[in-house]
Amino acid sequence: MRPARLNGGVNLDPDPRGCAALRSDLDAAGYRAAAVRDLWGAMVDTAVGHGLTEPAHRALAGRTDALATLAALLFLGSPTSRARVADALPSLGEQGLVDLGLAHVEGDLVVPDALVRPQDISDAAGEGHWWIASDLDEAAVGGPLPTGHVLGVGGASLTLAGLQLTAPVGRVLDIGTGCGIQALRARRSADTVVATDVSERALGFTRLNALLNDVDGIETRAGSLFEPVAGEQFERVVSNPPFVITPRSEGVPAYEYRDGGMAGDDLVAAFVRRVGAVLAPGGVAQLLGNWEYHDGDDGLDRVRAWVAQSPVPLDAWVVEREQLDPLAYAELWVRDGGTAPGSPAYAPLVQAWLDDFAERGVTAVGFGYITLHRAHVIPTLARYERITGTIAGALGPHLGDALGAWQRMSSMTDAELDAAVLRVAPDVTEARHHVPGAPDPQVIELRQGAGFGRALEVDPALAALVGASDGDLPVGVLVAAIADLLEVDAGALRADLLPRVRELLFTGFLRFED
Ligand SMILES: C[S@@+](CC[C@H](N)C(=O)[O-])C[C@H]1O[C@@H](n2cnc3c(N)ncnc32)[C@H](O)[C@@H]1O
């Protein structure tokens, strides 16, 4: 039997009626992300995102309506008068909020013990919104976070939520669920979700958030990594794991929300090596991670080695989005823990990271997205790449299309590809750069507006093939016509173009017409 409360925080067994009452109050007040943004303005919203709450307090001064009360109490985590809370939460009431473990009462004030923030969602299932409860953030706590902190929805959470595949699926596993954001997102396309965490408090928040948003089918289980699901298999696994590399030296806090307690990047390595065992054949795992570069060895090769150590065959698509040197990495994570530059603890903490990296020969740290597919017999996809440009919108549908195209192509002969009818994707544009006065272009570039926003230099033959791919004639016929036009050997042109057509189909410049 679970204790009802731990550390005076979230109720680990939240009352469904209390959650429904809170939902009804938040809904009635119009407590949505856009409404809160409008309430204090775009610049103040950005300030709040940076942990600066004073501008928001000033914007709310003098307002007593329910939306302003909820923004102060639940968005900023500010103590608020009992009378205002009673007005803003007519169904739940102050006692209901206390019973859910989201606040306590001190004199005339209701003092929040957690945040509940609105979160917009937009995906293949449509537009929507959630309210997500999590621990008080740094600004509300007023200093460094406690190590058992349960994170709210951050940049990495939104990245993985956007990366999640959107095709309908049976069972999904979310490892390290935290406040449950990935589990909620997965449930939009999955029949059921198992959400795990080492933190009982995180699981309490996940249960509360599922009830608050009236989402069923999410089962919570306590335990480390794959332990709570030993012997089970899932069609999809998602994880924003605690991948942050942390020195194991005295005085360096080990935050549960970002640090799995292992050395270096061992937690991500363990995840990659072992996830195949819980993937059903054909299943896909999606995770974020860090990987180290050692004395000039390529970090992506390190991930490649982890994939090769999986006991089940895994196809892999790994995208490195960012690479930081030891100093930039150390400063990022010291600041993330609430220790500001200039404070006495800052320099010793940064030095602890630098010493750890120097001792272990770490010269840089990569961050990116890992997509693994349990292959039937032998892996056919081993794609390790760096894509650092800005990405517009959620990548999930794009990843799904790429994996779908790759699956289709992996059993497709060149003769079958000849017979396929293709269409250029609607977000692709072509730019031709000419030396002034020259009739022929010096450079032809294809550019994607969606997906990873890739840009690609192509030769006239491939540009012609892409330009003629309008869903009418098959590839083989187009290649023969282009060979005629360019007066080159058709067989040689076909041998040159088909592998590149496959690449354009994977990367989403071209699509199969049927
Ligand atoms: C970066 S947070 C991710 C939270 C949430 N899924 C998200 O996307 O925002 C990592 C989570 O992993 C949990 N965790 C830490 N060590 C773990 C382990 N060994 N096994 C499973 N979960 C772990 C932490 O408690 C935390 O909730």
Side-chain angles (χ1 to χ4, degrees), residues 364-397:
V365 179
F367 163 80
Y369 318 150
I370 301 179
T371 306
L372 303 167
H373 167 264
R374 181 165 173 181
H376 290 284
V377 188
I378 46 165
T380 57
L381 181 68
R383 207 181 160 98
Y384 295 81
E385 56 187 327
R386 295 186 175 84
I387 308 178
T388 52
T390 308
I391 291 171
L395 278 169

Side-chain angles (χ1 to χ4, degrees), residues 203-228:
L203 296 175
F205 275 115
T206 296
R207 287 188 283 272
L208 185 140
N209 286 328
L211 289 168
L212 179 57
N213 292 290
D214 202 16
V215 174
D216 63 2
I218 297 179
E219 182 195 340
T220 53
R221 295 192 203 169
S224 180
L225 287 181
F226 304 102
E227 188 183 272

